[in-house]
Amino acid sequence: MPKVTYRQHDGSEETLEVRAGTSLMLGALTGGVEGIEAECGGSCMCATCHVYVDEAWLDKLPKVQVLEDEMLDDTASERKPNSRLSCQIEMSDALDGIVVELPESQI
Amino acid sequence: MATDEAAGLVVIGGSHAGHQVAIAARAAGFEGPVTVLSDERELPYQRPPLSKAYLMGKQPREALLFRPAAFYEEQGIDLRLGVSATAIDRAAHTVTCDNGTVLSYRKLVIATGTRVRPLTVPGSDLVGVHYIRTLADIDAMLAELDRVKSVVVIGGGFIGLEGAAALKTMGRDVAVVELADRLMTRGVGKTVSTFYADHHRSQGVDVRLSTGVERLEGENGQVTGVILSGGETLPADMVIVGIGVLPNQEIAEEAGVDCANGIIVDENTQTSDPDILAVGDCAQFEGRFYDGSLRLESVQNATDQARTAGATVSGEKKPYDSAPWFWSDQFDLKLQMTGITVGYDTEVIRGDVAAGEFSVFYFKGDTWLGTDTVNQPANHIASRRLLDAGYALSQAEAADEGLALKELVKAARKGG
Ligand SMILES: Cc1cc2nc3c(=O)[nH]c(=O)nc-3n(C[C@H](O)[C@H](O)[C@H](O)COP(=O)(O)OP(=O)(O)OC[C@H]3O[C@@H](n4cnc5c(N)ncnc54)[C@H](O)[C@@H]3O)c2cc1C
Ligand code: FES
């Protein structure tokens, strides 16, 4: 199973197996990783599943769609060029090893 | 009366609002035991996918859970599943459960939500008649679905229509019967209602407006048809009832806590008894987004009120004051709503209704109440932020297609 590394704001890291087809948001929640709220459950309505994607992986991700782009303007922590909503990133074998960093705050 | 030193926070109900109260209380530094009582047997799970992805088999069961069991343990949250609270003794500061347990509380949060309004016409208890509220409800539907060809949905509200769209997409013959003269009357205005009726029809759903249901008919205890007010019979081997919900407020009422259409709370989610709070679908409140008092049935309301309650029980203040928002997924359309728009008198439309990309801004006199958008997320988010900021959008601004609402948000934030 492909792996994802979630890096907390304080630098601590957890690496988890996340099944292909599952979102990085869900991978974090079911794996007990803290720092993601995901109050809309992945409907791209809340922007509380914000992550910063390690630059090396940015190009491999599906493009940001309009709704995600709008929501990203509304995150609690600063939007950066590598900001994404983790509910919109589906895990795949191509993303095996991806590293994402969690922002200081989601709400 | 003195409360037990060891008594902590007790939360009745473990869904969107209840589980979030416990998490928020811990996040706010609540000390002492935190107990969540839920009369459902599942770990806390999300309801919105029940009428959407889960019904269509696109979201596995595990993916409905908010958190794994271990999370609650780590947070020091004692989650008691399959346990129903039956009575509150305010003087003694205790809650009695159906398993005989009596729990002492320092603070009590009622997050009992709502239950479905039952259909009462003759035949309502036939096999094949379903409701959409709990995971168990959907599992019961799914268990029958293989042999179902025709479905009649009674009630053209959000949940009924989502169910209709899902089942139509899954290849069933679907009819929707609505008593009012338009769909989703409580949530959206006329233009959006008409657009959705047209869209459902274009997808092959038989939408009947201004139509009541006389009775259901069956054979050998299994539903076979729905008899409409005009006498016509619609064939049905499954009936889905979505005619609204009732707040679970009896436990508060019986304890003498003030209730109306819901348990009455203030901006800190406290009831008429300051040690008892209420949040989510069961709570009624007043706020700046609506003239009068209301009860909201949405994830946003449940989550935000729960955060307020978590702060309140921990001795902090975080008054509930966020702009309401809600969404609904039907077929490939994304409907997003913000504000409370009932009682509007004017609709201002941007975009192209026929093309299924538009926004409706609702006004009462000169006052902007809120916005519904169909496949125009930018206008949704900007409207939400403008409402939060207390911006008084004018009809002229709403109508000006050249004016990006986002620019107004920036200006409103700078100014305010
Ligand atoms: C099918 C469906 C689709 C939806 N879609 C959307 C959507 O797209 N967007 C949106 O914003 N909202 C949606 N909603 C609404 C949203 O799910 C509700 O607003 C939300 O669930 C409210 O949360 P709550 O915790 O206040 O109440 P509830 O979810 O009703 O939970 C209350 C819980 O308390 C339990 N309980 C009640 N009494 C007791 C007792 N005495 N002791 C112990 N436990 C008790 C109940 O069994 C229940 O588990 C949808 C709802 C449904 C049913
Ligand atoms: S979970 Fe709400 S936007 Fe991702």
Side-chain angles (χ1 to χ4, degrees), chain B residues 159-184:
Chain B
I159 294 174
L161 290 173
E162 287 182 354
L167 290 163
K168 186 73 214 174
T169 305
M170 293 162 84
R172 302 307 189 280
D173 292 335
V174 181
V176 174
V177 181
E178 166 60 50
L179 197 56
D181 60 359
R182 61 186 186 89
L183 299 174
M184 303 178 283

Side-chain angles (χ1 to χ4, degrees), chain A residues 7-83:
Chain A
R7 188 183 299 141
Q8 294 293 335
H9 191 66
D10 67 8
S12 63
E13 287 186 356
E14 280 167 277
T15 299
L16 301 179
E17 290 190 332
V18 175
R19 194 178 306 149
T22 298
S23 75
L24 295 194
M25 175 277 279
L26 211 58
L29 285 193
T30 50
V33 175
E34 287 193 39
I36 285 185
E37 293 280 327
E39 68 184 60
C40 77
S43 290
C44 208
M45 285 290 291
C46 71
T48 64
C49 64
H50 181 199
V51 295
Y52 300 117
V53 177
D54 188 292
E55 306 283 346
W57 296 90
L58 266 187
D59 295 347
K60 299 199 172 64
L61 296 182
K63 273 228 180 72
V64 178
Q65 303 291 313
V66 190
L67 179 55
E68 182 183 355
D69 189 32
E70 294 300 332
M71 288 309 309
L72 277 167
D73 275 344
D74 214 51
T75 51
S77 296
E78 180 200 358
R79 177 176 186 173
K80 297 180 188 168
N82 62 341
S83 283

Side-chain angles (χ1 to χ4, degrees), chain A residues 19 26 29-34 36-41 43-46 48 66-67 70-71 73-74 107, chain B residues 20 46 62-63 66-68 75 299 303-304 307 325-327 334 336 377-378 380-381 384-385 406 413:
Chain A
R19 194 178 306 149
L26 211 58
L29 285 193
T30 50
V33 175
E34 287 193 39
I36 285 185
E37 293 280 327
E39 68 184 60
C40 77
S43 290
C44 208
M45 285 290 291
C46 71
T48 64
V66 190
L67 179 55
E70 294 300 332
M71 288 309 309
D73 275 344
D74 214 51
I107 48 175
Chain B
Q20 187 66 45
Q46 323 209 23
E62 319 81 75
F66 291 108
R67 313 275 179 169
Q75 294 273 315
V299 166
T303 314
D304 287 345
R307 290 193 183 122
W325 54 264
F326 188 77
W327 75 96
K334 184 131 201 141
Q336 299 173 293
H380 168 73
I381 299 303
R384 218 151 104 180
R385 289 310 153 232
K406 215 187 239 182
R413 281 184 172 166

